[in-house]
């Protein structure tokens, strides 16, 4: 019993040290980007995507519900904040809870009927269509949303006499909210809710057999994911001071999902890592290739990452170079073994023909 307690204590300390190192690396990234306006904007976009992906990890990573409408909820948060700022003259800080509540409420309304569907393509299809519905609504509610012109001149946040519209200052604010979102999500997944989410992911039928109200916890996860997307939307609107409906179509939700998968969809740290890595990668490729070649290069890199790192980039963290080479070597050997297994069947089929 004493040995088990000592082991748990050691694991807890190692986890805390690892978390401190990850936070330090994140802050170093923010600090390096804060000295230049362009890099500050890239870092702001990285943080905005990270907040949205944190929510996506909770619903898709912890409960295994395929969600293709996360960007629509980012749009709901962005438009809620922008409308309150431009039409009603609200204080910026008050628009944050309003955007999160609005996105969360719509998440509940969508989640109640949607999550009764079977897992897999059904939920994915509904959330994809929802993204297009939001796009059409934004376009047609022109007196409120600005229609195809969007909303321009969104006021910058202020803190007393200090204007936070400068990219470097805004970056510090967004980084602070990103860390806050991460720690709140981390508390959630380590609570009883997280345990119920994981039980649904592993086997929904088994979870139901021991009395878990799976419908309730799936809706809870979906609502939390929507609220995080609403928070991301508030700062998305601040990044350039202008928003447009085309930025929130379902195709951009695929980018968020790819960030979660590449980083490690079963891990909050992986989600943040994937969001930052792929956002920065897209900007690097933007400078190296034209629009078409950029997406081709991006697609190839994503495929390679999925092929050789099925558990995401987070699986590389904490490993030595020797361990990484061994892991990649094992992965290549696995492909070779699969090919060898398939060859006899192919030869047999040819001989029968």
């Amino acid at each position: 019993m004493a040995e088990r307690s000592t082991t748990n204590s050691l694991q807890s300390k190692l986890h805390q040290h690892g978390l401190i190192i990850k936070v330090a690396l994140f802050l170093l990234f923010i600090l390096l980007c804060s000295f230049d306006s362009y890099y500050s904007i890239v870092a702001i976009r990285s943080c905005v995507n990270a907040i949205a992906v944190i929510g996506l990890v909770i619903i898709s990573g912890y409960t295994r519900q395929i969600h293709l409408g996360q960007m629509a909820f980012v749009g709901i948060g962005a438009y809620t904040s922008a409308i309150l700022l431009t039409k009603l003259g609200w204080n910026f800080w008050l628009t944050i809870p309003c955007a999160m509540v609005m996105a969360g409420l719509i998440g509940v309304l969508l989640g109640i009927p949607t999550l009764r569907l079977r897992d897999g393509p059904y939920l994915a299809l509904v959330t994809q269509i929802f993204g297009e519905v939001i796009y059409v609504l934004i376009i047609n509610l022109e007196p409120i949303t600005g229609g195809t012109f969007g909303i321009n001149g969104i006021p910058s946040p202020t803190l007393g006499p200090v204007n936070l519209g400068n990219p470097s200052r805004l970056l510090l604010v967004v980084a602070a909210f990103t860390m806050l979102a991460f720690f709140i999500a981390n508390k959630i997944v380590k609570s009883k809710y997280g345990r119920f989410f994981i039980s649904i992911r592993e086997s929904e039928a088994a979870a139901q057999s021991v009395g878990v109200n799976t419908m309730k916890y799936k809706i809870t996860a979906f609502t939390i994911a929507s609220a995080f997307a609403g928070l991301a939307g508030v700062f998305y609107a601040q990044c350039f001071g202008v928003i447009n409906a085309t930025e929130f179509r379902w195709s951009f939700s695929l980018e968020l999902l790819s960030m979660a998968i590449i980083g490690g969809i079963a891990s909050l740290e992986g989600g943040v890592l994937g969001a930052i890595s792929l956002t920065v990668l897209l900007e690097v490729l933007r400078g190296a290739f034209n629009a078409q070649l950029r997406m081709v290069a991006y697609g190839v890199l994503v495929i390679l990452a999925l092929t050789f790192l099925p558990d995401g980039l987070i699986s590389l963290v904490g490993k030595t170079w020797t361990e990484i080479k061994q892991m990649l070597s094992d992965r290549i050997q696995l492909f070779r073994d699969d090919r060898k297994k398939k060859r006899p069947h192919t030869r047999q089929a040819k001989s029968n023909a």
Side-chain angles (χ1 to χ4, degrees):
M1 192 72 177
E3 290 180 0
R4 184 181 298 178
S5 177
T6 303
T7 303
N8 291 337
S9 177
L10 181 59
Q11 289 177 343
S12 177
K13 287 180 180 179
L14 289 173
H15 177 74
Q16 289 176 358
H17 288 310
L19 191 59
I20 291 170
I21 292 171
K22 290 167 187 173
V23 171
L25 290 173
F26 174 75
L27 291 175
L28 178 62
F29 166 73
I30 297 300
L31 180 64
L32 293 174
C33 292
S34 64
F35 293 106
D36 182 87
S37 295
Y38 170 73
Y39 293 122
S40 293
I41 292 172
V42 173
I44 290 169
R45 288 296 301 271
S46 298
C47 290
V48 168
N49 289 337
I51 295 171
V53 170
I54 285 171
L56 198 55
V57 167
I58 291 175
I59 181 65
S60 295
Y62 276 83
T63 63
R64 198 174 285 172
Q65 310 298 308
I66 303 174
H67 183 16
L68 295 180
Q70 185 74 337
M71 202 63 188
F73 289 99
V74 173
I76 291 168
Y79 270 91
T80 299
S81 177
I83 290 168
L84 292 175
L85 285 168
T86 57
K87 306 287 186 182
L88 302 179
W90 277 39
N91 181 285
F92 167 78
W93 305 105
L94 293 178
T95 69
I96 293 176
C98 290
M100 293 181 70
V101 168
M102 178 64 73
L105 285 174
I106 294 176
V108 172
L109 295 176
L110 178 66
I112 289 174
T114 301
L115 293 169
R116 293 183 184 277
L117 299 173
R118 292 172 56 191
D119 297 342
Y122 302 97
L123 178 61
L125 182 62
V126 170
T127 50
Q128 175 190 342
I129 293 171
F130 174 74
E132 292 303 297
V133 169
I134 293 297
Y135 168 74
V136 172
L137 284 174
I138 291 172
I139 292 295
N140 286 279
L141 294 174
E142 188 172 342
I144 301 173
T145 63
T148 55
F149 297 101
I151 298 178
N152 302 292
I154 300 171
S156 302
T158 58
L159 189 61
V162 180
N163 188 299
L164 301 175
N166 178 281
S168 298
R169 293 174 181 172
L170 183 61
L171 173 58
L172 297 178
V173 176
V174 181
F177 273 91
T178 303
M179 289 192 294
L180 179 62
F182 175 83
F183 285 116
I184 291 174
N186 195 50
K187 286 289 185 184
I188 291 171
V189 299
K190 284 183 168 41
S191 68
K192 68 173 185 177
Y193 291 95
R195 292 192 293 272
F196 288 135
F197 295 160
I198 292 171
S199 70
I200 293 169
R201 179 183 70 191
E202 298 304 319
S203 174
E204 186 171 348
Q208 288 175 336
S209 69
V210 294
V212 176
N213 187 340
T214 57
M215 179 66 180
K216 170 187 171 182
Y217 288 105
K218 286 195 292 185
I219 292 174
T220 301
F222 197 82
T223 304
I224 293 169
S226 303
F228 276 116
L231 174 62
V234 173
F235 292 107
Y236 191 101
Q238 289 295 325
C239 189
F240 297 108
V242 56
I243 52 174
N244 189 281
T246 56
E247 300 167 0
F248 306 109
R249 303 192 74 172
W250 80 272
S251 57
F252 293 100
S253 293
L254 286 178
E255 286 189 13
L256 294 179
L257 186 59
S258 67
M259 290 174 185
I261 293 171
I262 295 300
I265 197 166
S267 163
L268 292 173
E269 293 94 335
V272 174
L273 178 61
I276 294 174
S277 300
L278 266 67
T279 304
V280 173
L281 176 63
L282 280 171
E283 289 302 317
V284 171
L285 294 176
R286 192 188 304 278
F289 303 101
N290 60 36
Q292 288 77 17
L293 288 177
R294 177 168 62 91
M295 294 313 296
V296 170
Y298 173 78
V300 169
L301 290 172
V302 168
I303 290 170
L304 288 174
L306 288 173
T307 301
F308 293 102
L309 298 171
D311 295 325
L313 294 173
I314 197 66
S315 63
L316 298 176
V317 176
K319 288 185 171 62
T320 64
W321 177 242
T322 304
E323 290 174 330
I324 292 172
K325 286 198 297 184
Q326 184 60 46
M327 185 172 66
L328 296 178
S329 177
D330 291 342
R331 191 69 182 166
I332 293 170
Q333 187 61 43
L334 180 63
F335 291 137
R336 288 175 178 171
D337 292 342
D338 286 341
R339 288 185 64 185
K340 288 178 181 178
K341 289 178 182 178
K342 290 177 181 178
R343 280 176 183 171
H345 296 289
T346 304
R347 290 173 182 169
Q348 185 66 35
K350 286 182 178 179
S351 64
N352 291 338

